[in-house]
Amino acid sequence: MRVPSHRWWSYACCAAAGLALAGLGAAAPAAAAPAAAAPAAAVPAAAVPGQLAARSASRFNVGAAHSPQLLSQLAGPSPAAGLAGPGRGAPGLAPAGRLNGAEQGVDVASFQHPGGKAINWAQAHAAGIGFAGVKATEGAYYRNPYALADLAHARAAGLAVAAYAFAIPNGNGASGSAATQASYLLSFLGAQRRAVPVMLDIEYNPYGAECYGLRPRAIVSWVSAFSARIKAGTGRKPIIYTPPRWWATCAGGSTAFGKASPLWVPDYTSAGHPALPAGWATWSLWQYSSTGTVRGIPAPGNTDLDQANPAVPPVLGRRS
């Protein structure tokens, strides 16, 4: 069994802080610092008609860009394998890193704002970062209080951007409806919804059963419903972010989305290309590490690194 990474333990140990950052179902001002930590029992019921939020639902991971399981995989082989530390590759097993001609990018969440610190997007751009994915929502209960400012400031600094929803198909105490979660994101984005591409992050469940207690057919139906709502609200299908192994297990290797939805694929590998989930013949964006250090982002060693496929047309939003 893989030993959880240092970054995973950071999330687990900072659960209360993550809940404080969440805003817990209400949109906070984008530039505002997070409120003081509150115990999980104080989480208010989500405003979802016909459904009551479970006050005891665990939501420790809301501040993270991705699930602990995936971040651990993207950190590379664990210290248990005899390595020097989290994210340090063994001889012959270093991530491929930058591809020739590939624009470099990052994806961020509130975790990249420790203590309320702002990201200096101009510095990140000057350091070679050309695009950013920003976690905007999780399920139908969390809106990243930094997301709107990050999207606006990154675009102003010259980066292309995408806003993403972390899918929670079983609801985790709020609505599990795909349409509701898509609408929750679109409502948060407001007027930016047509200028900023949407990405659906569907992957390991941070809070329980890997596939959210759903069968592959139900996962595929959920992704279809989310995509349809985003298409109706923005005029285009969302980018899909999913790990190949998770997709094979939880979506049954569905091939239903590869022709209509661009792929943002997470994969730690020493190869010159990522593994692909079933249904996609190529990739548009590739997350290859979770342990990056980027000038301007106050989370050294804990920033997700991505790159765009130089062989396919760009899929992210226009720069300002």
Side-chain angles (χ1 to χ4, degrees):
M1 179 180 294
R2 175 182 293 276
V3 174
S5 69
H6 174 75
R7 186 171 176 180
W8 186 93
W9 289 113
S10 296
Y11 293 139
C13 293
C14 297
L19 287 169
L21 281 167
L24 299 171
V43 177
V48 180
Q51 298 195 35
L52 296 178
R55 290 176 178 269
S56 60
S58 174
R59 296 173 180 171
F60 69 88
N61 203 60
V62 291
H66 302 291
S67 66
Q69 300 93 313
L70 184 56
L71 291 172
S72 180
Q73 291 174 16
L74 289 166
S78 72
L83 307 181
R88 300 192 179 275
L93 193 57
R98 299 187 178 205
L99 299 178
N100 289 334
E103 185 174 44
Q104 297 298 301
V106 295
D107 56 278
V108 300
S110 60
F111 183 85
Q112 279 68 44
H113 293 270
K117 293 180 181 178
I119 292 175
N120 187 322
W121 288 106
Q123 285 189 2
H125 186 54
I129 299 301
F131 67 89
V134 179
K135 179 177 180 178
T137 61
E138 179 175 301
Y141 53 76
Y142 168 74
R143 290 172 169 173
N144 175 2
Y146 303 102
L148 298 182
D150 277 338
L151 290 167
H153 295 161
R155 291 180 72 204
L159 284 75
V161 297
Y164 69 91
F166 189 100
I168 302 290
N170 65 359
N172 192 27
S175 174
S177 161
T180 296
Q181 293 186 27
S183 295
Y184 186 72
L185 171 66
L186 294 176
S187 175
F188 184 42
L189 291 177
Q192 295 192 61
R193 67 170 67 183
R194 289 194 175 271
V196 174
V198 166
M199 184 256 277
L200 170 64
D201 178 357
I202 185 149
E203 53 159 292
Y204 302 98
N205 179 8
Y207 310 113
E210 181 175 308
C211 302
Y212 301 88
L214 301 177
R215 295 184 181 277
R217 180 177 297 181
I219 291 289
V220 171
S221 177
W222 198 99
V223 174
S224 294
F226 184 97
S227 296
R229 178 66 188 91
I230 294 299
K231 178 70 161 56
T234 68
R236 54 188 164 186
K237 291 288 185 72
I239 300 162
I240 293 180
Y241 173 107
T242 194
R245 281 181 285 179
W246 185 91
W247 188 258
T249 299
C250 297
S254 172
T255 61
F257 305 98
K259 292 183 179 179
S261 294
L263 175 67
W264 193 325
V265 61
D267 186 37
Y268 181 98
T269 177
S270 58
H273 55 83
L276 300 178
W280 282 272
T282 189
W283 55 278
S284 293
L285 301 152
W286 171 17
Q287 183 183 351
Y288 58 90
S289 177
S290 63
T291 59
T293 296
V294 176
R295 187 156 56 92
I297 301 180
N302 289 299
T303 298
D304 298 336
L305 301 179
D306 308 85
Q307 54 197 334
N309 190 338
V312 302
V315 297
L316 296 188
R318 61 179 176 82
R319 297 158 171 83
S320 294

